[in-house]
Amino acid sequence: MRKGFLSGGLSTPRQSKRDNKITEIKANPKAEEEKLKLKEVQEKMNEASDFLDKNSNEWLNESLLNNIQSNQKILGKLNNPQFMAAFSEFQTNPQEAAKKIWK
């Protein structure tokens, strides 16, 4: 009587004839960051930046400074050394600066 596959098992282990190469796939962090950027939003942000740069003499004036000085909440933040350190850090490392401000 022959042995069935449940009772007898394999008499010799089978060898794979294929070359068992494992391909490792890694995430691309730049691709992850890029997929979060929307082309239309980036274009509008560039347009707004250009507009603000070209028309800075219209909005960057004494009236703006007077409004800032009269707002106690803003003035309090500008007098806070920790806030100002984080504020200046926004130019180099925005993520860490945000963590410092929102503590």
Side-chain angles (χ1 to χ4, degrees):
M1 189 188 276
R2 291 180 46 170
K3 293 183 182 179
F5 71 93
L6 292 175
S7 62
L10 294 174
S11 58
T12 59
R14 291 187 183 181
Q15 295 289 330
S16 175
K17 293 180 181 179
R18 288 188 260 162
D19 189 289
N20 290 333
K21 289 185 180 178
I22 297 175
T23 304
E24 201 172 310
I25 300 173
K26 295 182 180 179
N28 183 350
K30 288 186 179 181
E32 286 292 318
E33 186 177 310
E34 289 298 316
K35 78 177 186 180
L36 297 175
K37 291 183 180 178
L38 301 174
K39 182 181 174 186
E40 296 84 6
V41 173
Q42 295 298 318
E43 289 172 357
K44 290 296 181 182
M45 287 176 62
N46 288 335
E47 286 176 20
S49 178
D50 292 342
F51 176 79
L52 291 174
D53 288 341
K54 290 177 185 175
N55 300 312
S56 64
N57 59 345
E58 293 178 18
W59 62 271
L60 187 57
N61 53 33
E62 289 295 319
S63 174
L64 175 65
L65 294 176
N66 290 336
N67 286 338
I68 290 172
Q69 289 176 342
S70 65
N71 186 323
Q72 294 302 313
K73 190 172 183 177
I74 293 174
L75 200 55
K77 292 289 185 185
L78 293 176
N79 288 327
N80 181 341
Q82 290 176 328
F83 179 84
M84 289 308 295
F87 189 73
S88 61
E89 191 175 344
F90 263 108
Q91 295 174 340
T92 57
N93 193 351
Q95 287 82 16
E96 287 299 315
K99 288 178 186 177
K100 287 180 182 178
I101 289 176
W102 299 113
K103 285 191 212 182

